Amino acid sequence: MNLDGVKGVIFDLDGTLVESSLDFTIMRKTIGCPLDEDILTFVDAIDCERKKADAHNTILQHELDDARNAKWLSIGQKMVEKAQEHNLPMAIVTRNCREATAIKLANNNIPIDYVLTREDAPAKPDPTALLMVAKEWQLQPADCLYVGDFIYDQQAAENAGMQWLMV
């Protein structure tokens, strides 16, 4: 991870800092979401409030089950340590819910306090959460590095005008 010119590092959570066994194919099938559609966008578009709540609860249960078993990835730990060595501010921006995120962070003693979940800002690839972090740190987006593992991470960083790294 090259930190030249970087003044702050924002990490994705699942697949970047911690392992994840979330099976989105099963989740999509359970709630009737087409395989080629974003699951969170699909749920938000459900007209029937009861069906929408059921879909949210299904996703929540999968996330909580996954959170209890998530382990810190060694590459994630090394990247956090490198950012710490450079005294850079760190944050996490994740599409996870707040409750599952808190479990993953606590169970793995991840030393990052500034965390934004999908309850805090629109989900990636929307850049809002990344821009919120840059603003909080009083940094230009171009001075921040976003580290992730999925196309939404790259898109969010590009949409925010940030540097990005895929792991």
Side-chain angles (χ1 to χ4, degrees), residues 55-74:
H56 275 296
N57 287 334
T58 296
I59 292 170
L60 175 64
Q61 193 56 57
H62 280 269
E63 288 180 331
L64 292 175
D65 291 344
D66 178 64
R68 292 180 190 98
N69 300 312
K71 301 291 182 230
W72 203 351
L73 293 168
S74 62

Side-chain angles (χ1 to χ4, degrees), residues 42-58:
F42 173 82
V43 172
D44 287 342
I46 296 174
D47 289 332
C48 174
E49 289 304 316
R50 189 173 135 268
K51 287 183 180 179
K52 183 184 286 193
D54 288 347
H56 275 296
N57 287 334
T58 296

Side-chain angles (χ1 to χ4, degrees), residues 70-144:
K71 301 291 182 230
W72 203 351
L73 293 168
S74 62
I75 189 168
Q77 187 170 7
K78 287 175 185 166
M79 289 186 296
V80 167
E81 289 168 354
K82 187 168 183 178
Q84 287 176 316
E85 289 168 10
H86 286 80
N87 294 316
L88 296 174
M90 294 182 289
I92 294 173
V93 170
T94 179
R95 288 172 54 101
N96 266 297
C97 68
R98 188 175 294 123
E99 187 176 358
T101 298
I103 292 168
K104 290 176 181 184
L105 297 178
N107 287 352
N108 292 286
N109 296 313
I110 296 175
I112 300 175
D113 296 326
Y114 189 19
V115 179
L116 296 177
T117 67
R118 68 172 179 259
E119 289 99 344
D120 301 308
K124 299 173 291 183
D126 185 294
T128 302
L130 298 180
L131 294 170
M132 289 169 63
V133 173
K135 184 176 181 180
E136 175 69 23
W137 289 341
Q138 299 181 1
L139 295 176
Q140 293 300 311
D143 293 329
C144 298

Side-chain angles (χ1 to χ4, degrees), residues 23-39 42 150 152:
D23 189 330
F24 287 96
T25 302
I26 290 174
M27 289 170 58
R28 281 186 173 88
K29 186 175 182 181
T30 303
I31 66 172
C33 177
L35 292 176
D36 62 342
E37 192 167 339
D38 177 75
I39 195 167
F42 173 82
F150 190 66
Y152 288 165

